[in-house]
Amino acid sequence: MNRRRTLDTIIEAPVHSSNVMLYSKEKQVASRVGHKILEDGTRVRYLLKTGEVIDSSEQWKRVVKDMTKNESSGEVIDSSEQWKRVVAHR
């Protein structure tokens, strides 16, 4: 949560996604996110400074589907474990 201090009151407010920069470990640089459509017609997010493709909508649909399936079965999976599955599918 983002905190703003006004007079003597602290107000918590969410940070909008447009104000967030992602970090590329390969290039060691922070960058904003852009959207583009690849030659095969898939829409992906990418880092503007490096051009590195972050993910595609199909991968996130698969992640959400797996998470809801696991929640209904009562199985608990750590978010880092879920991310490892996404990266493994690349």
Side-chain angles (χ1 to χ4, degrees):
M1 288 284 187
N2 185 16
R3 292 185 181 201
R4 297 180 188 163
R5 189 156 183 87
T6 57
L7 299 177
D8 287 328
T9 306
I10 296 176
I11 301 171
E12 292 191 6
V15 177
H16 192 269
S17 62
S18 67
N19 294 325
V20 175
M21 298 180 85
L22 296 182
Y23 185 75
S24 171
K25 290 184 180 179
E26 293 177 7
K27 304 287 184 175
Q28 297 183 353
V29 65
S31 175
R32 290 190 181 260
V33 176
H35 294 87
K36 66 180 175 181
I37 299 175
L38 299 177
E39 294 173 358
D40 62 353
T42 58
R43 184 177 174 175
V44 295
R45 295 185 321 148
Y46 73 103
L47 297 179
L48 291 174
K49 286 185 182 176
T50 64
E52 178 182 348
V53 175
I54 301 169
D55 63 3
S56 66
S57 59
E58 290 80 21
Q59 289 174 333
W60 283 113
K61 288 177 187 175
R62 186 171 41 245
V63 168
V64 171
K65 183 179 177 183
D66 288 346
M67 288 176 66
T68 55
K69 182 171 57 173
N70 292 334
E71 287 174 359
S72 64
S73 68
E75 182 183 357
V76 177
I77 294 181
D78 184 19
S79 60
S80 62
E81 182 65 31
Q82 192 70 24
W83 178 247
K84 289 177 188 173
R85 291 181 184 181
V86 171
V87 173
H89 281 104
R90 286 186 177 182

